[in-house]
Amino acid sequence: MSNKEEIEKLIKEQGDLVRKLKAAKESKEKVAEEVAKLLQLKAQLNGGEESQNANQKFTLKTPKGTRDYSPEQMAIRSSVLDKIISVFKRHGAVTIDTPIFELKEVLTGKYGEDSKLIYDLKDQGGEILSLRYDLTVPFARFLAMNKISNIKRYHIAKVYRRDNPSISRGRYREFYQCDFDIAGVYDEMIPDAECVRVVYEILSTLNLGSFVIKLNHRKLLDGMFEACGVPAESFRSICSAVDKLDKSPWEEVRKEMVDEKGLSGEVADKIGEYVRLNGKIELVEKLLQDEHLIKSKSAVEGLEAMKTVLKYCEIYGTSDMISFDLSLARGLDYYTGIIYEAVLLGESGKGDDVAVGSVAGGGRYDNLVGMFDPKNKQVPCVGVSIGVERIFAVLESKLSANKSKLRTTEVQVYVASAQKNLFEQRMLLCKELWDQGFKVEHSYKKNPKLLAQLQYCEEQLIPLVIILGESEIQKGVVKLRNVNNREEVEVARNELGIELHKRLENYKANEAL
């Protein structure tokens, strides 16, 4: 018997002894003494395993579907998130945060077929937990738990999905979501149209090229299924199949409906006639004359809602990028009304060179909060999620193609020295500039070469350098160098702050052009 097996046997025997003592209600002192022995044995076992593991070589890599981010990538992310947040704030949103894990029962049954992608955690202290799959269900739980009946919020945080990752398409198992939601009872379609406007503003601000925002309505989808002869109990599963039309041709989706989901070929073909349609408000008018759809109350309600939201989108100036698309389904079970999805069309503007797919999606979910409320009190909600990981992938690709260098710090001024033994003077000047709020850096070497300091500024795209020399210190001046054009001027030490502010304002204005 190996040493490990001997220790495991002793642990089992000691564990049995502790349980017997507890069952016999022995004194606390006696039980504590034997528990301490049990812990010592476990420590021996773990220590042996750690020692064994320490000698084993392993491959350094991130887990599947995750990634590290370089300073350049983080600079892109920071810039993108700042622009997105500015849009959210422009529309009056506040922000919240929730735990990255929830009670499993909170997430169960909210995502339809996608529920299989939820990451479950081991039992920790009696709670069965799962990593959050999105930010919408935690938001609904937050509203119900805190008795909130109206709020406009944004939330930016990581979510987790046990999906098949595709790094090139910006699809990961750990990724950020940026959500904007409006909760509360309001007049129909006014908040919904604003969510579409938020997506429009974000994609326009980020200069990602041409895009289209597809709109549809869950009631219209249900009415369409009803008119085509789909059994009511199959609506959600057929909806999930239709949702794959953005990635798969109709023939594959039809095959799934018939072979996997038991739909007749005739019914599937009727669905196919509708889901190929897209257009503007004229299509809504046309469908309101459809003899099959007008027999469905749900379809008519959905079409009337679409007519209203398309009118509001025209007022908000987003119509040029809107498409009423009957193939849009969005597979999540909690949607109850309008649904939308934004897709980049690529450089050609035709969608034939799309590499990342959808970059935003959302819709109305009026029944989700009630699932968590003991009295089933409903709080109507509509929201959108921005697919920032896919946006990052597009921008990183563009940057790489252009071979552009990106600033990874916000340092405005570098304090350099032209001679030896001036490092304390550099430190003193840095302190003065930090106190005035400037973003400042200097070398950590006492006597760095001036050329090396200037080269560092050029590499890091730092706009201004202050050069200290013995003669400048005696005269009470510094040399101020523009890194870009290498021009130098003398500036009085007591006027340095004013001159820096002026030059940095000019630099900022030119950078924005």
Side-chain angles (χ1 to χ4, degrees):
M1 184 182 292
S2 69
N3 186 48
K4 180 182 175 183
E5 288 172 336
E6 283 182 25
I7 295 173
E8 286 175 342
K9 182 183 177 185
L10 291 171
I11 287 172
K12 185 178 182 306
E13 291 173 354
Q14 189 66 20
D16 290 340
L17 175 60
V18 169
R19 282 187 284 275
K20 285 178 184 176
L21 293 174
K22 287 182 177 180
K25 296 185 178 179
E26 287 282 350
S27 68
K28 289 182 181 179
E29 292 77 11
K30 178 66 175 172
V31 172
E33 183 183 338
E34 298 302 328
V35 167
K37 292 178 183 177
L38 177 61
L39 292 175
Q40 285 178 350
L41 288 168
K42 287 184 176 181
Q44 285 182 42
L45 181 65
N46 291 335
E49 289 180 349
E50 286 170 8
S51 175
Q52 186 178 1
N53 289 338
N55 295 324
Q56 292 178 350
K57 291 185 178 180
F58 61 94
T59 303
L60 283 173
K61 62 185 284 291
T62 61
K64 185 178 179 182
T66 66
R67 64 184 289 199
D68 293 323
Y69 294 93
S70 68
E72 289 78 13
Q73 290 165 334
M74 287 304 295
I76 293 173
R77 293 167 76 89
S78 178
S79 173
V80 168
L81 292 178
D82 285 347
K83 290 174 182 176
I84 290 173
I85 290 170
S86 71
V87 174
F88 291 159
K89 288 183 175 180
R90 188 184 306 149
H91 288 263
V94 297
T95 189
I96 66 166
D97 197 10
T98 62
I100 67 164
F101 46 82
E102 296 273 354
L103 296 175
K104 185 178 180 180
E105 61 196 41
V106 166
L107 305 182
T108 302
K110 311 299 188 304
Y111 301 107
E113 293 185 3
D114 285 349
S115 290
K116 63 181 181 290
L117 304 180
I118 294 173
Y119 270 110
D120 292 331
L121 303 177
K122 283 188 176 181
D123 180 0
Q124 298 291 332
E127 290 187 329
I128 309 300
L129 307 171
S130 297
L131 293 178
R132 62 185 173 204
Y133 177 88
D134 68 1
L135 301 179
T136 306
V137 171
F139 175 54
R141 190 264 308 150
F142 174 86
L143 294 180
M145 198 171 108
N146 293 286
K147 308 291 187 228
I148 296 171
S149 57
N150 63 73
I151 189 175
K152 187 189 294 183
R153 81 85 166 91
Y154 73 90
H155 188 185
I156 299 176
K158 285 184 176 180
V159 299
Y160 301 85
R161 297 185 183 178
R162 199 162 46 85
D163 203 351
N164 286 323
S166 174
I167 305 301
S168 63
R169 292 172 63 89
R171 185 186 299 137
Y172 303 92
R173 289 181 167 180
E174 176 194 60
F175 57 95
Y176 272 99
Q177 279 193 340
C178 293
D179 280 19
F180 174 91
D181 293 83
I182 302 171
V185 179
Y186 303 105
D187 288 334
E188 188 182 37
M189 290 296 148
I190 297 177
D192 310 62
E194 185 165 355
C195 284
V196 175
R197 171 71 194 190
V198 165
V199 176
Y200 180 93
E201 286 183 25
I202 287 171
L203 297 183
S204 299
T205 301
L206 293 174
N207 295 318
L208 296 166
S210 298
F211 61 90
V212 63
I213 305 174
K214 300 178 182 180
L215 270 62
N216 202 359
H217 202 286
R218 264 295 170 85
K219 284 188 176 181
L220 173 56
L221 276 170
D222 288 350
M224 180 183 75
F225 294 148
E226 181 186 347
C228 292
V230 178
E233 64 273 12
S234 299
F235 282 6
R236 291 286 76 86
S237 66
I238 297 303
C239 190
S240 179
V242 171
D243 188 45
K244 296 173 184 173
L245 278 169
D246 64 332
K247 305 180 190 75
S248 307
W250 164 249
E251 291 71 22
E252 288 183 20
V253 173
R254 183 187 185 279
K255 189 173 186 297
E256 179 182 331
M257 289 180 178
V258 175
D259 295 352
E260 296 178 28
K261 301 193 172 173
L263 214 59
S264 72
E266 183 184 355
V267 170
D269 290 336
K270 286 180 183 178
I271 294 171
E273 291 176 15
Y274 287 112
V275 296
R276 289 185 174 93
L277 299 174
N278 63 79
K280 304 277 186 180
I281 198 150
E282 296 79 17
L283 178 58
V284 179
E285 300 289 0
K286 178 184 173 183
L287 293 174
L288 281 168
Q289 306 300 316
D290 187 292
E291 60 178 333
H292 302 295
L293 289 180
I294 59 174
K295 293 176 184 176
S296 167
K297 181 184 175 186
S298 177
V300 172
E301 287 178 355
L303 286 167
E304 291 293 346
M306 284 304 305
K307 185 193 284 190
T308 302
V309 78
L310 288 172
K311 176 185 173 184
Y312 293 163
C313 285
E314 189 169 343
I315 294 170
Y316 277 150
T318 57
S319 292
D320 55 330
M321 299 297 185
I322 296 293
S323 173
F324 169 35
D325 193 325
L326 271 77
S327 71
L328 179 63
R330 296 199 63 80
L332 298 178
D333 276 5
Y334 51 62
Y335 289 122
T336 58
I338 187 173
I339 49 178
Y340 33 78
E341 190 164 272
V343 178
L344 297 185
L345 297 179
E347 297 300 326
S348 69
K350 297 177 182 177
D352 51 9
D353 54 351
V354 172
V356 294
S358 162
V359 290
R364 176 160 287 280
Y365 52 102
D366 287 347
N367 301 330
L368 191 56
V369 177
M371 292 183 182
F372 300 113
D373 191 276
K375 297 179 181 177
N376 198 35
K377 181 187 174 184
Q378 301 294 350
V379 178
C381 298
V382 63
V384 63
S385 181
I386 308 299
V388 286
E389 298 291 352
R390 291 181 171 182
I391 290 172
F392 296 148
V394 171
L395 294 176
E396 284 173 19
S397 176
K398 281 187 176 183
L399 196 69
S400 176
N402 296 336
K403 295 185 169 65
S404 304
K405 186 165 176 58
L406 193 70
R407 282 197 77 186
T408 56
T409 77
E410 295 185 10
V411 174
Q412 300 165 314
V413 185
Y414 189 92
V415 177
S417 51
Q419 285 123 9
K420 291 183 178 181
N421 303 321
L422 295 179
F423 70 94
E424 290 186 0
Q425 291 291 336
R426 291 203 321 262
M427 294 172 73
L428 182 62
L429 183 52
C430 283
K431 182 261 182 195
E432 291 173 8
L433 295 175
W434 286 329
D435 287 346
Q436 293 176 57
F438 291 105
K439 297 170 183 174
V440 182
E441 194 178 18
H442 76 117
S443 173
Y444 294 141
K445 289 185 175 181
K446 286 185 176 181
N447 298 307
K449 292 180 180 178
L450 180 59
L451 181 61
Q453 296 171 84
L454 297 177
Q455 284 177 338
Y456 176 81
C457 294
E458 290 184 1
E459 289 167 4
Q460 298 300 314
L461 304 179
I462 298 170
L464 298 173
V465 185
I466 296 169
I467 302 174
L468 288 175
E470 290 177 357
S471 63
E472 285 84 9
I473 292 170
Q474 288 172 4
K475 290 192 294 183
V477 299
V478 297
K479 278 185 182 174
L480 185 57
R481 179 185 175 100
N482 184 315
V483 174
N484 190 35
N485 59 25
R486 302 184 180 181
E487 289 180 356
E488 293 182 1
V489 294
E490 277 194 358
V491 179
R493 186 78 170 251
N494 58 3
E495 295 177 1
L496 181 57
I498 297 170
E499 184 65 23
L500 288 176
H501 276 300
K502 185 171 72 174
R503 287 176 174 262
L504 289 169
E505 282 297 321
N506 289 337
Y507 172 78
K508 191 175 179 182
N510 291 331
E511 195 179 41
L513 293 177

